[in-house]
Amino acid sequence: MASRDGQTVDELFARLSKSKQRALEEVGLGLPELRRIAGEDGSVRRVRNIIDFDGDRPTENRAAVWPWIRLLLITASGVVICLLSTYLINKYALLVGAVYGLAVIWAGVKAPWSRGGLAVRCLVGAAYVVLIWLGSQSADKWYLQVRGQETVVTYAQAVNSGSHGIRTLYCRVKLPDGSVRQVFHNDKWCTDTNMVGSQVDAAIDPSGHYRPILGHKSDIGNDVFDYLCLGAAAALVLAPLTAAVMGGVNEARGKRSGRENGTAT
């Protein structure tokens, strides 16, 4: 007995995993019984319903959804690892994110190449690049916004350094513990040699890993790059989630259409 799409009971049963075949056999719905049901009805519709009810459809839906969820998990973990590595290697954490990008590329290649799949890949890839690039440069600022400690520091002698003939003044301050650190951003007074020894408010990292920021924590305002990162983070999460939802819906729709096609032989 064959359905309209040409599939027989034997072919439908063969599509099931071994564990599902055994589960059906244990409840008295093995291949001989399924053949008998199809013979009585004159079609394989009831057989299809039995097989779908047994859980074959969710397995196929997972096959359509999981690659996008995997892409989301890999890209999100790459961003987190990159940002956390700034705690040890500062802005060079960008290299960590770049190397981890190989895993992101692999996850993107493994995702379905269905309609819209290329757009989702491009969107996620662009969001990942923005987050590791800007994030590796702004992680200390974000950290100090949340966990920074306000204190009074002392202007120290600025360092004049650079490369390729370009010299740049890097401002430094002396912290209450006696250590001297370069600041996150220069202010208009720190490069003035007459200000050395003067005190100024700053937000510092109590553990000493991140650079201090001159001013109060409330002065660490959001700028255009912060909003760009926020938009990139939203795209990185929403794009693969939307693709996963749509993939599951399309798979279920295709499965339902297949059942309807099997109502006649």
Side-chain angles (χ1 to χ4, degrees), residues 92-113:
Y92 297 106
L94 176 61
L95 299 177
V96 175
V99 172
Y100 195 93
L102 297 175
V104 175
I105 293 174
W106 174 85
V109 170
K110 291 295 184 180
W113 290 90

Side-chain angles (χ1 to χ4, degrees), residues 188-240:
K188 60 183 179 181
W189 297 287
C190 65
T191 57
D192 187 347
T193 56
N194 295 324
M195 294 299 294
V196 175
S198 301
Q199 292 186 323
V200 63
D201 293 322
I204 67 170
D205 174 12
S207 62
H209 286 277
Y210 291 113
R211 294 172 292 173
I213 293 181
L214 299 176
H216 297 282
K217 287 179 63 175
S218 58
D219 298 328
I220 311 175
N222 295 324
D223 54 29
V224 63
F225 295 112
D226 293 333
Y227 290 112
L228 183 58
C229 286
L230 183 61
L236 186 144
V237 173
L238 294 178

Side-chain angles (χ1 to χ4, degrees), residues 68-210:
W68 295 116
I69 300 300
R70 179 176 58 198
L71 178 61
L72 169 60
L73 294 176
I74 289 178
T75 51
S77 61
V79 172
V80 171
I81 291 172
C82 177
L83 295 182
L84 290 178
S85 62
T86 62
Y87 196 74
L88 299 176
I89 57 178
N90 207 342
K91 62 182 180 180
Y92 297 106
L94 176 61
L95 299 177
V96 175
V99 172
Y100 195 93
L102 297 175
V104 175
I105 293 174
W106 174 85
V109 170
K110 291 295 184 180
W113 290 90
S114 55
R115 183 175 58 183
L118 179 59
V120 173
R121 286 176 176 80
C122 293
L123 193 58
V124 171
Y128 180 79
V129 171
V130 168
L131 287 172
I132 64 171
W133 175 42
L134 296 182
S136 61
Q137 302 176 58
S138 304
D140 30 9
K141 181 182 68 173
W142 297 338
Y143 179 88
L144 291 178
Q145 280 181 304
V146 178
R147 303 196 62 182
Q149 173 185 324
E150 293 188 351
T151 188
V152 176
V153 298
T154 305
Y155 285 121
Q157 185 69 44
V159 175
N160 191 352
S161 62
S163 61
H164 305 291
I166 301 176
R167 309 296 292 178
T168 305
L169 278 174
Y170 294 94
C171 292
R172 303 185 303 165
V173 295
K174 185 177 182 180
L175 304 183
D177 62 3
S179 62
V180 177
R181 294 293 306 274
Q182 180 184 326
V183 299
F184 186 75
H185 285 306
N186 293 353
D187 66 10
K188 60 183 179 181
W189 297 287
C190 65
T191 57
D192 187 347
T193 56
N194 295 324
M195 294 299 294
V196 175
S198 301
Q199 292 186 323
V200 63
D201 293 322
I204 67 170
D205 174 12
S207 62
H209 286 277
Y210 291 113

Side-chain angles (χ1 to χ4, degrees), residues 5 61 108 183 249:
D5 56 8
N61 284 352
V183 299
V249 169

